[in-house]
Amino acid sequence: MSFHSPVHVSERREVQLVRFLQAAMVVILLIGLWQGNAGIVVNSGIGLLVTFLPAFFERNYRVTMNGGIVLWISVAMFLHAFGTLSVPALGFISPYKSTWWWDHMTHALSSSLVAGVAYAVTRALEEHTEYIVMPPRFMFVYLLLFVMAFGVIWELIEFYVGVVSSLVGVGKVLTQYGLDDTILDLFYNTIGGLLVATFGTAHLSDLSDQLRARMDSTNR
């Protein structure tokens, strides 16, 4: 994987940070397997796979994500996976259960990733075809609405996964803590989308240009 980042971090340091986070998630996955904890295994396993998506897209589709984006993805996935782990310093309780703001932080980070993907793909489509026009103000609103809609769908997924887990008698993979928590999740999802819509789009322009070039090449 090659890393080309606009942030003032060396290429070697970017690789080291990403690899460290991936190794940490492997450790969390092994702990989950050792404990027989389905929630830890599923969340860390999926998070680990997501961190390898940038390398997959570069190798198979020649779409290169810069180091800042790769770190963004890796940090979000690591914090989510770590949040499911029972930590001795917290009385063998997971950060999700012991730290009130952990769930909100991970929701904001995850929703910012969703907003980033939505922006990159939508901008690529806008540049690729004349039938889609997204003025900056409309794009801003679009990203917020997209993240809010995705957040609602995710909350429904969490609910039904919890129901199925209870029916089949396995540990909870995704957990809901009530209606108040759901409302707060949706609020922090919006915060994540707002941050991307306000500050993050400039850092995603290169990625969207690569996607547009890829779309153009498939039509030739």
Side-chain angles (χ1 to χ4, degrees):
M1 183 191 306
S2 62
F3 294 82
H4 309 287
S5 173
V7 298
H8 299 294
V9 179
S10 69
E11 178 179 340
R12 180 184 177 187
R13 184 64 65 188
E14 291 169 354
V15 173
Q16 289 175 339
L17 289 171
V18 172
R19 295 293 179 258
F20 172 79
L21 293 173
Q22 290 174 330
M25 279 188 278
V26 170
V27 173
I28 295 172
L29 174 62
L30 293 175
I31 292 174
L33 290 171
W34 177 63
Q35 295 180 345
N37 189 311
I40 296 176
V41 171
V42 172
N43 286 285
S44 60
I46 292 177
L48 184 62
L49 289 176
V50 170
T51 65
F52 285 104
L53 286 180
F56 172 81
F57 283 112
E58 181 177 352
R59 182 175 59 253
N60 294 281
Y61 300 102
R62 299 188 301 278
V63 174
T64 303
M65 300 182 192
N66 67 51
I69 294 177
V70 177
L71 284 174
W72 180 15
I73 294 170
S74 300
V75 168
M77 295 299 101
F78 167 76
L79 291 175
H80 176 62
F82 184 78
T84 64
L85 190 66
S86 297
V87 181
L90 299 175
F92 291 96
I93 302 175
S94 69
Y96 270 121
K97 294 180 179 179
S98 63
T99 308
W100 67 268
W101 48 263
W102 195 273
D103 185 47
H104 307 323
M105 173 185 64
T106 55
H107 268 274
L109 280 172
S110 299
S111 64
S112 70
L113 290 177
V114 172
V117 171
Y119 171 78
V121 173
T122 303
R123 186 176 182 275
L125 287 170
E126 181 184 16
E127 296 293 331
H128 174 67
T129 176
E130 61 183 8
Y131 299 107
I132 298 177
V133 179
M134 288 268 191
R137 291 185 179 180
F138 186 84
M139 177 68 80
F140 182 89
V141 175
Y142 161 77
L143 289 178
L144 290 183
L145 293 177
F146 186 93
V147 168
M148 292 173 66
F150 186 89
V152 171
I153 294 173
W154 181 255
E155 293 299 321
L156 291 173
I157 292 174
E158 282 189 342
F159 174 78
Y160 286 111
V161 167
V163 171
V164 172
S165 298
S166 298
L167 291 176
V168 299
V170 299
K172 289 187 176 181
V173 176
L174 299 172
T175 304
Q176 278 194 323
Y177 298 99
L179 181 59
D180 291 342
D181 180 72
T182 298
I183 298 300
L184 284 173
D185 286 346
L186 294 175
F187 171 76
Y188 283 97
N189 287 344
T190 305
I191 293 296
L194 181 63
L195 290 174
V196 171
T198 306
F199 304 109
T201 53
H203 302 287
L204 296 164
S205 296
D206 178 66
L207 177 59
S208 61
D209 289 341
Q210 292 184 64
L211 292 174
R212 187 260 305 159
R214 183 70 182 174
M215 294 175 185
D216 292 343
S217 65
T218 58
N219 289 342
R220 293 174 184 173

